[in-house]
Amino acid sequence: MAANTITQAIYEQVLKRNPGEVEFHQAVKEVLDCLGPVLEKHPEYVEAKILERLVEPERQLIFRVPWQDDKGNIHVNRGFRIEFNSALGPYKGGIRFHPTVYLGIIKFLGFEQVLKNSLTGLTMGGGKGGADFDPKGKTDAEVMRFCQSFMNELFRHIGPDTDIPAGDIGVGGREIGFMFGQYKRLCNEFTGVFTGKGLEWGGLLVRNEATGYGLVYIMDEALKASGKSTESMTVSISGAGNVAIYATEKVQQLGGKVVTLSDSNGFIYDPDGVNLDTVKQIKEVERKRIKEYVSIHKNAKYTEGCHGIWDVKCDIALPCATQNELDEATAKTLARNGCIAVGEGANMPCTPEAVGVFHENKVLFIPGKAANAGGVAVSGLEMAQNSQRISWTFEKTDAELKNIMVTIYKNTSQAAEVYGYPGNFVAGANIAGFIKVANAMLAQGLV
Ligand code: NDP
């Protein structure tokens, strides 16, 4: 049977089995669409039904999370953990707290995580979790009660050699602290069951910075291949959370100028270059909205709504907020305005049509699986550090992060070349990530 007939049949089965889960469909389709040449070269993957197994999570957990707000009112949220694939190691992937969370989002993130973790070269399987809980506007005590209730169910499914969660949208150091504390209490053990922990209790220097720094490292490496660099580039970034803030920091350290940031209400444009101390104060310390920025920096402008952010002229665009935030029309605007490179800090922020526009216009495009793998890579280093009960220096971890990102760039670009997609990092990342997982699944038999 022709390879594309096989992948089409698998995709139809995914649609049938997972109705309404549009983000999961989108993530699976993108991968299947690249794998034809791989299946032709490796009939053993077809025979062992590796792809059919890959798109079906090993385990899916859905649970009730009841909690009480400060006034004593009771709320019920829904919690998820998708343990997607453990061929390369224990399940590893973040937890997202956001009102839009449902099974399709967690499955898409878990599926992407399997291939992303493979690309890091570390021994980590893939998983993802979350809840349709909105931490915005909640007090610390409310967030703590929610996290404890969430962990009252999740603790029995995770462990330092089984499944190691981390942060994602809406889950930062505060939430990880509360969840880790409850896990420790329930299990009576102090282990590296979470990554992204506080520095005093097993965390690793650079974890906070890792995803944003890694994004800029891989982009800089890709630019170098065509004789360019981040220095003197004007960069548009969306989001104002963990990934966006540390991508901004690294761009600035490398001599680039970041002119935009956003949150779900709107975006700021600062022609002088974003002042990161102000942003950190607003977002990390005060937990306020990004529009506060313009009351301090008078040259900057705030626009309500997120869409217009990509109308701002830039050399490099780094979408770092959420899935499908950058569509076809926006991609055309970016290309028309002379944007030369796009790197996905968020997971799947560009729609498939937008990616098509970038490819047509020869805009260098690095997909999230490769571009934002720095976070989970440093999480892998945190796990190693926890097992050995040692602490690495900032410099050592940062150098290792950079090394991993450069290796991801090389492996991705090489896989694209070998399988007939030169310059296509989407295909390269999917193929390089897939082959390692497929070989491990073959070796481990029918499980
Ligand atoms: P944060 O919660 O720290 O920040 C998210 C930012 O994106 C906030 O500014 C938020 O605004 C904005 N945002 C969230 N949802 C939307 C939306 N629907 N529309 C517009 N803006 C939105 O999350 P992270 O920075 O950790 O994560 C950002 C992205 O990066 C996600 O896609 C995540 O999966 C991905 N990622 C994160 C990693 C990490 O290490 N943290 C690792 C790899 C990928 P608001 O405050 O208004 O909600």
Side-chain angles (χ1 to χ4, degrees), residues 96-98 100 108-109 113 116 128 134 136 166-172 207-208 210-212 238-245 262-266 283 288-290 306 319-323 325 344-349 368 371-376 379:
R96 176 176 293 191
F97 290 163
H98 195 272
T100 56
F108 119 65
L109 290 165
Q113 197 80 46
K116 181 189 309 188
K128 200 82 186 188
D134 189 357
K136 269 203 280 292
D168 191 77
I169 291 178
V171 176
R207 176 59 191 92
N208 218 19
T211 308
S238 64
N242 174 268
V243 181
I245 287 177
S262 66
D263 58 26
S264 52
N265 295 110
K283 299 305 289 186
K288 286 189 177 159
R289 311 307 296 159
I290 196 68
C306 301
C320 295
T322 195
Q323 64 276 352
E325 57 169 297
E344 293 189 318
N347 284 309
M348 211 167 73
N372 68 34
V376 75
S379 279

Side-chain angles (χ1 to χ4, degrees), residues 379-398:
S379 279
L381 303 179
E382 184 174 330
M383 286 157 65
Q385 174 194 269
N386 289 164
S387 309
Q388 295 170 65
R389 303 266 192 265
I390 55 166
S391 298
W392 287 14
T393 62
F394 189 97
E395 289 71 25
K396 180 173 167 158
T397 310
D398 191 33

Side-chain angles (χ1 to χ4, degrees), residues 53 242 275:
R53 286 151 64 192
N242 174 268
N275 182 309

Side-chain angles (χ1 to χ4, degrees), residues 148 151-152 155 158 176-194 197 201:
Q148 291 179 339
M151 196 44 65
N152 283 347
F155 85 97
I158 61 176
I176 287 174
F178 293 148
M179 286 190 273
F180 178 82
Q182 187 70 351
Y183 176 87
K184 184 165 63 79
R185 185 183 192 193
L186 291 166
C187 297
N188 192 28
E189 60 174 44
F190 193 116
T191 54
V193 68
F194 263 88
K197 299 184 292 297
W201 42 281

Side-chain angles (χ1 to χ4, degrees), residues 219-281:
M219 177 54 81
D220 202 53
E221 189 64 22
L223 288 170
K224 269 192 211 148
S226 52
K228 303 187 180 92
S229 82
T230 309
E231 198 180 348
S232 312
M233 294 278 179
T234 298
V235 183
S236 258
I237 297 185
S238 64
N242 174 268
V243 181
I245 287 177
Y246 291 97
T248 303
E249 186 163 287
K250 187 48 75 180
V251 167
Q252 293 180 341
Q253 285 172 6
L254 296 184
K257 181 160 87 166
V258 175
V259 291
T260 66
L261 285 175
S262 66
D263 58 26
S264 52
N265 295 110
F267 72 94
I268 54 155
Y269 167 62
D270 189 340
D272 302 332
V274 161
N275 182 309
L276 200 54
D277 289 340
T278 307
V279 174
K280 284 185 179 176
Q281 178 66 25

Side-chain angles (χ1 to χ4, degrees), residues 132-148:
D132 57 355
F133 169 76
D134 189 357
K136 269 203 280 292
K138 307 287 188 300
T139 63
D140 287 351
E142 288 171 334
V143 170
M144 182 180 74
R145 284 196 292 277
F146 178 81
C147 288
Q148 291 179 339

